[in-house]
Amino acid sequence: MPDTYTNKLLVIDLSRKSFETIPVSDLFKTDFIGGKGFGAKLLSDMVPPGTDPLGKDNPLMFMTGPLTGTMAPAMRGCVVTKSPLTGIFLDSYFGGSFSPEIKYAGFDGIIIKGQAKNPVYIWINDDHVEIRDARHLWGTDILESNRLIKNELRDETIKIAGIGQAGENQVLFALIGCEYNRQAGRGGAGAVMGSKNLKAIAIKGSKPVAVHDPKRFQAACAKAFKELEESPDVEAFRVAGTAASVDYANETGLLPHKNYQSGTFSKASQLSDIGQSRHIWLGSSACMGCPIRCSKIGAVRTGKYKGIVTDIVEYESAALMGANLDISDIRAVAHLVKLCDLYGMDSMSTGNLIGFAMEACEKGLIKAPKGIELTFGNVIAAEHMIHAIAGQKGKLGKLLSKGVKQAARKIGGTAVKLAVHTKGLESPAWGPRGVSGMGLAYMTTDRGGCHQRGFPVSYELAGEWEGKPLDPLSSEGKAQMVIALQNYSAGRDTLVNCDFGSYGISAETYAELLSAATGKKADPDLIIKTGERIWNLVRCFNLAQGLDAKKDILPHRFVKECLPDGPSKGHRISEKDMDYMRQEYYQSRGWDKNGVPLDTTLNRLGIGYAGPHQ
């Protein structure tokens, strides 16, 4: 009977200039479902300890899920590799139309191995695969190379994922730009692609995606669409995207200001949906097959940056490139974010790093580039640093291209105290000092500082979790909530769904979509247990790569410095709080006191992996 899997992965070896397909077994699908699960298992099997993330032996994988390419709403794709920024597991997600095209070409995923001698791009047309010369494309930005490849192949309908100059120069937080204007943004997958001399992957497919039970699947899709339509949270995303979160974070004291020194910004509304609708937005847009339409089509219509065509400035970028740098002009922020997108550089990490550099310069720890006033609020300085980092130009540009953790260590002294990251990944724009559970989520995330591995903020600020009172400032009772959110998140990331979809679509409906699509019985417990299996497998992988409990911590700023403003003024997450939450989390996870999964836990989850400390 048909199902939504193609049952094969495309493996391309750039060193050998060869390709092959490998089968996807029933057991593999049963245990790991797709997306994150496939990537986690393959990475664990393929990447031994000590593998250089920028070496030829680190694979770069583009994975789909079992619902990708179907009419199921709000589906995405993911990139999986070993991160050059953190040295541990990396999965980064993207919307748009590139991921469905992988399915239409007949593959559940693409695995890139090896290293080309000269710049190349890959052209996939159903079963036809070519490795083409890309020396003429090297040095172009993401949108320009997209245009040139389509012209060369004489087809505007081709879907492309590629890198800009930041990826070519192996900036450790370079991203991959995916068709169209969607990014696999965090952790440096673009640098891995650049290290392989791979400029882009162009793909076109013509094969339909079958489902096991079309009538049942259509009914499940109708239910999912109905749930999205009836969700007030989804309606809020449709109206204002994530930009409305700027005011929300500001009112709750979670908005980073001046390198996270404080949690509020007096001009926050100028960066939120209020400011963006006034100066940028012209209409709404959506990823392929998604009814949420959270994105915006727009252009800067007045001022110095007039004429710049731009998407919505998402919350994370608006907060980190705006409030965090003390910049309130949304038009300037849109310009800075657009530069990052063109260069192929994570605007979240970039905003974090520039804020770090501005504070370090303010405190006399570093010198500003000649002729530049590296001060908070200076748009010209921020733009200069974006160019310098992407091009690895100048002493400071080269230093910051290594990420905030390495930059702070290189500077030395008190600079380490100014570096806001977890496990080397620059922190996102939700300061956790007023929401301890979010702090625990940062401490334990599988790829470093990340808000997308369970987001307890909304529960903590509402003061309730599963009908029980919840104190956002307390360190007690947070582990079970964080674990439940992480397991469900990892399970959904195997499908691979958009986070926003889960604000409307129920766990039962996701399970029904999976059952109807594949013909295999699924329920919410299966998705959650699969998520738990993946989480533990990734933990084992990270331990093998050198992670230990000493790295399950928050940065100095959140631990030693109290919030100076906002509703949680005077609060911090102390070392005692961290110790308590960490041990409660380890015990609840079935890990030992050093954060290593116990044999009983691994056996229960069916993971045949002996950790490095066992």
Side-chain angles (χ1 to χ4, degrees):
M1 294 292 289
D3 63 25
T4 52
Y5 293 102
T6 70
N7 296 310
K8 59 183 179 180
L9 300 170
L10 175 64
V11 182
I12 301 172
D13 191 323
L14 295 176
S15 296
R16 297 181 178 180
K17 299 180 180 180
S18 64
F19 70 93
E20 63 178 333
T21 60
I22 58 175
V24 177
S25 70
D26 287 340
L27 180 61
F28 192 64
K29 292 184 291 186
T30 298
D31 285 351
F32 298 103
I33 297 179
K36 178 170 185 156
F38 280 13
K41 177 57 175 170
L42 288 165
L43 201 70
S44 295
D45 290 346
M46 296 173 69
V47 179
T51 298
D52 179 2
L54 297 177
K56 63 182 179 64
D57 295 326
N58 186 27
L60 178 69
M61 298 180 272
F62 293 78
M63 290 292 149
T64 70
L67 302 179
T68 302
T70 71
M71 64 183 294
M75 292 296 136
R76 309 181 85 199
C78 68
V79 172
V80 179
T81 189
K82 180 179 177 181
S83 168
L85 184 65
T86 65
I88 57 176
F89 176 82
L90 173 63
D91 56 336
S92 192
Y93 295 81
F94 58 92
S97 54
F98 183 78
S99 183
E101 207 71 20
I102 295 174
K103 245 342 182 11
Y104 301 151
F107 308 107
D108 289 318
I110 302 170
I111 303 171
I112 312 295
K113 298 167 57 178
Q115 217 165 34
K117 290 183 178 179
N118 297 302
V120 299
Y121 76 90
I122 295 168
W123 166 224
I124 303 167
N125 189 1
D126 285 332
D127 297 322
H128 177 77
V129 180
E130 287 183 51
I131 299 174
R132 291 190 161 211
D133 192 331
R135 281 175 286 189
H136 61 298
L137 302 172
W138 211 249
T140 60
D141 66 45
I142 284 179
L143 294 185
E144 177 66 5
S145 60
N146 183 297
R147 183 186 70 83
L148 291 171
I149 290 171
K150 288 178 177 177
N151 286 346
E152 188 172 303
L153 296 174
R154 299 180 181 180
D155 192 340
E156 287 291 325
T157 67
I158 291 166
K159 311 306 179 187
I160 296 173
I163 58 173
Q165 297 92 327
E168 294 172 5
N169 294 324
Q170 296 175 38
V171 173
L172 295 190
F173 45 94
L175 57 76
I176 299 174
C178 303
E179 189 87 22
Y180 180 75
N181 203 34
R182 293 293 177 263
Q183 292 84 24
R186 306 236 67 199
V192 175
M193 197 162 170
S195 73
K196 294 184 178 299
N197 273 323
L198 178 60
K199 181 64 175 177
I201 302 171
I203 188 167
K204 184 172 183 177
S206 62
K207 301 173 184 178
V209 176
V211 296
H212 178 77
D213 188 333
K215 186 175 181 180
R216 182 182 176 190
F217 187 71
Q218 288 177 7
C221 287
K223 184 179 179 183
F225 277 94
K226 187 173 187 292
E227 288 175 341
L228 289 173
E229 194 63 34
E230 294 176 348
S231 167
D233 290 327
V234 169
E235 179 60 23
F237 284 129
R238 183 175 293 132
V239 171
T242 60
S245 295
V246 175
D247 284 331
Y248 174 72
N250 188 56
E251 291 164 4
T252 54
L254 307 180
L255 184 70
H257 183 227
K258 290 189 174 182
N259 195 32
Y260 304 83
Q261 291 181 69
S262 59
T264 64
F265 182 36
S266 62
K267 300 178 181 178
S269 63
Q270 296 182 33
L271 302 171
S272 71
D273 56 311
I274 297 171
Q276 294 196 38
S277 62
R278 180 182 301 127
H279 293 292
I280 299 176
W281 297 348
L282 296 171
S284 297
S285 63
C287 292
M288 180 178 173
C290 182
I292 300 176
R293 302 189 303 279
C294 68
S295 192
K296 303 293 177 183
I297 301 169
V300 176
R301 303 190 291 276
T302 60
K304 180 179 179 180
Y305 305 104
K306 181 179 179 179
I308 296 172
V309 176
T310 180
D311 204 331
I312 186 175
V313 182
E314 300 284 1
Y315 166 73
E316 296 290 338
S317 298
L320 287 165
M321 203 68 81
N324 194 51
L325 304 186
D326 200 36
I327 297 172
S328 59
D329 185 349
I330 188 58
R331 296 165 296 186
V333 173
H335 167 64
L336 297 174
V337 173
K338 181 68 176 285
L339 284 178
C340 288
D341 289 348
L342 291 173
Y343 279 132
M345 198 159 66
D346 179 9
S347 58
M348 291 173 62
S349 285
T350 304
N352 179 305
L353 271 153
I354 295 174
F356 162 80
M358 286 176 170
E359 186 179 1
C361 190
E362 184 181 81
K363 289 179 163 55
L365 300 175
I366 60 173
K367 293 182 179 180
K370 187 176 180 180
I372 298 295
E373 294 184 15
L374 192 55
T375 56
F376 285 109
N378 190 335
V379 178
I380 294 174
E383 180 176 342
H384 176 90
M385 292 316 307
I386 290 171
H387 293 307
I389 293 169
Q392 295 236 16
K393 297 176 181 176
K395 183 178 179 181
L396 188 55
K398 291 178 182 178
L399 179 66
L400 297 181
S401 74
K402 305 302 181 186
V404 77
K405 178 182 176 180
Q406 290 192 46
R409 287 183 174 178
K410 185 72 174 179
I411 295 167
T414 57
V416 176
K417 297 179 180 180
L418 311 183
V420 185
H421 69 89
T422 304
K423 300 182 178 77
L425 182 61
E426 290 77 20
S427 294
W430 295 94
R433 284 176 285 186
V435 277
S436 296
M438 192 72 245
L440 177 60
Y442 288 163
M443 290 163 59
T444 56
T445 49
D446 55 2
R447 69 174 185 178
C450 176
H451 64 294
Q452 293 179 307
R453 301 297 184 269
F455 187 70
V457 169
S458 54
Y459 300 103
E460 293 190 274
L461 293 179
E464 183 179 332
W465 167 254
E466 294 188 337
K468 298 178 182 178
L470 191 68
D471 179 359
L473 301 183
S474 174
S475 60
E476 298 181 7
K478 299 298 173 73
Q480 290 289 349
M481 172 182 63
V482 169
I483 289 169
L485 292 172
Q486 288 173 341
N487 287 347
Y488 187 48
S489 173
R492 287 189 293 101
D493 283 342
T494 66
L495 294 179
V496 185
N497 82 312
C498 174
D499 285 349
F500 298 164
S502 63
Y503 280 84
I505 302 173
S506 66
E508 290 75 16
T509 300
Y510 276 126
E512 176 63 11
L513 285 166
L514 183 60
S515 295
T518 65
K520 295 182 179 180
K521 184 178 179 181
D523 56 30
D525 286 343
L526 173 68
I527 295 174
I528 292 167
K529 185 174 181 180
T530 302
E532 184 184 8
R533 178 180 297 115
I534 295 165
W535 197 268
N536 279 269
L537 177 64
V538 171
R539 181 68 177 190
C540 291
F541 174 83
N542 286 343
L543 290 169
Q545 301 300 326
L547 184 74
D548 57 40
K550 294 178 181 178
K551 295 175 184 173
D552 289 337
I553 59 173
L554 292 170
H556 179 277
R557 178 137 285 164
F558 300 152
V559 177
K560 298 295 186 180
E561 301 176 23
C562 294
L563 265 176
D565 55 4
S568 302
K569 180 179 179 179
H571 192 260
R572 62 189 173 94
I573 299 176
S574 67
E575 291 186 6
K576 182 179 178 181
D577 292 333
M578 281 199 301
D579 289 342
Y580 180 90
M581 290 193 295
R582 185 168 48 237
Q583 288 305 317
E584 183 183 43
Y585 178 92
Y586 289 170
Q587 185 176 16
S588 299
R589 272 275 179 213
W591 298 355
D592 69 17
K593 64 180 181 179
N594 294 314
V596 178
L598 298 169
D599 285 341
T600 53
T601 300
L602 298 179
N603 291 335
R604 175 175 61 82
L605 296 170
I607 301 173
Y609 189 102
H613 305 298
Q614 295 183 317

